Amino acid sequence: MNKKQILEELLENNPQIPEDKLKDILKVLLENNPDIKMDKDFRKNLKQKLKNISKTYEKPKIWNYFFFGAPLISAICIFTFFMFYFKDYTAKTPELYNHENMIPKNLQLKLEDEIYLDNSENIDLLFQETETSLKKTEKINTEKSIENLEKTDKINTEKNKIIESKQKEVQVEKFILEKNDDINIDDINIDDFIEENINDYENIKPVKIQNFEEISSPTLFGEEREKKEILEDDLEKKGEEKVEKQDYRFLPSQEGQERKQEGQEKTVETKKLEKSGTKKVENTELKIEKTIEKKDFESTCNLNGFKIIKEDGIIFCVNLEEKCSENDFKKSSCSFLK
Amino acid sequence: MEDLKIVKKIQDGNKSLFGELYEKYVDDIYKFIYLKTTNQEIAEDITSETFISALQNISSFDIEKDSSNFKAWIYKIAYNKVINFYKIKDREVQITDFLDIGFEENFCDTIDCKDKLRNILAYLSGLKKQEKEVIIYRVWHDLSFKEISEILDISLDNCKKISSRTMKKISANFLAILFIFLIF
């Protein structure tokens, strides 16, 4: 303790007090300064406690960062380098690495489950399998499309055949009418008849039926035949009881042209009208329509890639979930067939 | 090494240097606290609290200030800890209470020490609290007036005035003090 300094201060601050008196006072005070000592163990323990606390509060040194950080940073660097290198390598050799896109999903799964790409043989096998599977799918697709085309062709040819035969029939009917031959069209073979009368037959304008609606409409030749029969009957059986007045002035030709025949008023027997070819035509038409409808239903079903099954004589077009009959198709109530 | 240099190093991260400051001030701080609490256990608790608090808050110590003084700073912490302790206790033991509590076992080693302390404190009991503190801090704890003014939160001039007034009082009664010493 700096006794002198304290004394100087006291003298400075208390100039009115004599120096000796201040010295004595200071002496008394300093002599009475108690000597207080702390426990040694407490002192040690407190030091240790402070050491421990200082460790937790101590800032981590830079080399510590380096010690832990360096391996981490180097690992990241190596990883990034290899990532870039691998990226470049795959870009340079796409044939080795882009095969995944070529493999169908089922094969990819198989690959994951079974195939181990450890050697090139497996890769070759995998490619072969991929190629074969792709070819198979292509084949199936082409076969399907060909089948569909064939079916539509068949339907069309059948349609054309029906139309042609009908045309021939109508043309022969017309020919017979014009020739005024007393030949029943039901009794003759149309093709043979055409061969026999080929020269005359060629002079007749060909009847063209555009569609099935024309076939289904009542033919005009039936009316012409009726007219002929009526004329003959009129000459033979004049004054019969059941007569009916009919205007024959307008007799349309097969092309739908109006042919005017003036001043002809004849009676017609209603019974004879039944003999006309209209009925037959109508029956054929129904048949044709039925076959066409059937064909249409089946072909549409086939074209859409659905199955056709027969149950109790009814044809059904079967989807994975639904079933549709021909009647439903006609009513257009089939949700998957339109 | 100067206190401020050590403090700067501690602030830079070398906390282990706090041990040097601990060794330098632990006895004085313990004495300072003990004279205020007069209880060994309490003094030890408050001493450890003071040093731990100093270590934890050393980064807040401003070494750039001209008036920065680590000794004054750590004494201030101790002083505040003692005040807080008595705030909780609701009563501060006055230094004059030494006379009444009948000295603790480890307070003074010899009977002579105890007698001397009793005599001087008996005389000092006639002084005001701040007057006693200034004189004791200056003479017994070797704290400068500047440091005392910082600890007590008073101006330096005020601290000096208090000291001067106290010395006048003591000199006026000096004969009485000597008489007391002679008797005992």
Side-chain angles (χ1 to χ4, degrees), chain A residues 107 110 115 124-134:
Chain A
L107 261 174
K110 199 181 170 186
I115 300 168
D124 289 340
L125 273 168
L126 176 76
F127 277 115
Q128 278 176 9
E129 272 190 67
T130 322
E131 271 184 27
T132 45
S133 69
L134 283 166

Side-chain angles (χ1 to χ4, degrees), chain A residues 222-325:
Chain A
E223 282 174 25
E224 277 183 47
R225 202 196 293 172
E226 265 174 43
K227 174 205 143 193
K228 189 190 160 192
E229 279 172 5
I230 289 158
L231 283 168
E232 280 167 3
D233 287 345
D234 194 39
L235 288 166
E236 286 168 9
K237 302 166 186 178
K238 274 184 181 177
E240 273 186 15
E241 286 175 17
K242 286 181 183 177
V243 285
E244 203 174 298
K245 277 187 179 179
Q246 199 171 346
D247 191 1
Y248 285 91
R249 281 176 295 179
F250 297 96
L251 287 168
S253 68
Q254 52 266 60
E255 285 93 3
Q257 287 172 343
E258 286 176 1
R259 197 183 292 166
K260 209 177 180 183
Q261 288 181 1
E262 288 178 4
Q264 286 183 347
E265 281 187 357
K266 302 284 171 186
T267 55
V268 177
E269 268 189 34
T270 44
K271 275 183 184 176
K272 280 181 183 176
L273 281 168
E274 285 170 13
K275 278 185 180 177
S276 71
T278 322
K279 202 177 177 181
K280 198 187 174 183
V281 171
E282 274 173 357
N283 289 335
T284 343
E285 166 222 318
L286 274 166
K287 268 186 187 174
I288 293 157
E289 272 183 346
K290 267 189 181 177
T291 44
I292 286 159
E293 273 172 9
K294 202 178 177 182
K295 291 284 176 191
D296 274 348
F297 172 69
E298 283 175 16
S299 63
T300 339
C301 187
N302 279 323
L303 277 168
N304 284 312
F306 303 125
K307 275 184 181 177
I308 292 167
I309 53 158
K310 242 180 181 183
E311 279 179 13
D312 302 328
I314 303 161
I315 298 164
F316 287 98
C317 184
V318 183
N319 189 10
L320 283 169
E321 294 163 351
E322 290 177 77
K323 219 157 106 177
C324 185
S325 71

Side-chain angles (χ1 to χ4, degrees), chain B residues 77-111:
Chain B
I77 291 168
Y79 182 79
N80 288 334
K81 292 275 176 195
V82 171
I83 287 171
N84 285 342
F85 171 75
Y86 283 114
K87 267 182 187 170
I88 296 160
K89 277 263 186 182
D90 209 28
R91 178 181 165 268
E92 186 177 354
V93 177
Q94 296 296 320
I95 198 150
T96 46
D97 292 346
F98 278 97
L99 296 168
D100 304 324
I101 57 173
F103 303 96
E104 306 262 330
E105 278 177 23
N106 296 325
F107 183 66
C108 281
D109 293 333
T110 58
I111 296 163

Side-chain angles (χ1 to χ4, degrees), chain A residues 1-2 5-6 9-10 12-17 21-22 24-26 28-39 42-47 49-51 53-55 57-59 61, chain B residues 11-16 18 22-23 26-27 30-31 34-35 40 44 47-48 51-52 55-56 107-109 116-117 120 135 138-140 142 145 160 163-164 167-168 170-171 174 177 181:
Chain A
M1 200 171 284
N2 199 345
Q5 202 185 337
I6 296 167
E9 270 181 7
L10 287 171
E12 201 181 306
N13 291 322
N14 305 288
Q16 71 280 7
I17 302 170
K21 211 175 184 179
L22 277 174
D24 289 338
I25 292 165
L26 189 64
V28 169
L29 284 169
L30 285 170
E31 274 179 1
N32 282 286
N33 185 6
D35 185 26
I36 297 161
K37 285 175 185 173
M38 67 190 298
D39 186 38
F42 166 73
R43 199 188 158 106
K44 268 187 184 177
N45 290 337
L46 184 60
K47 198 177 179 183
K49 202 177 178 184
L50 288 167
K51 244 186 184 179
I53 292 165
S54 65
K55 272 181 187 172
Y57 280 87
E58 204 162 347
K59 276 183 186 174
K61 284 162 190 171
Chain B
Q11 284 178 342
D12 289 342
N14 194 0
K15 296 258 181 183
S16 57
F18 190 77
Y22 170 80
E23 291 289 346
V26 70
D27 291 321
Y30 179 77
K31 190 182 169 183
Y34 190 90
L35 287 175
Q40 191 189 339
E44 280 176 359
T47 307
S48 62
F51 277 96
I52 289 164
L55 178 64
Q56 286 173 342
F107 183 66
C108 281
D109 293 333
K116 272 184 183 176
L117 188 64
I120 195 72
I135 288 300
R138 182 69 195 103
V139 180
W140 286 0
D142 196 24
F145 285 122
K160 281 176 180 174
S163 162
S164 174
M167 287 313 285
K168 269 179 200 171
I170 291 168
S171 66
F174 188 64
I177 295 166
F181 283 137

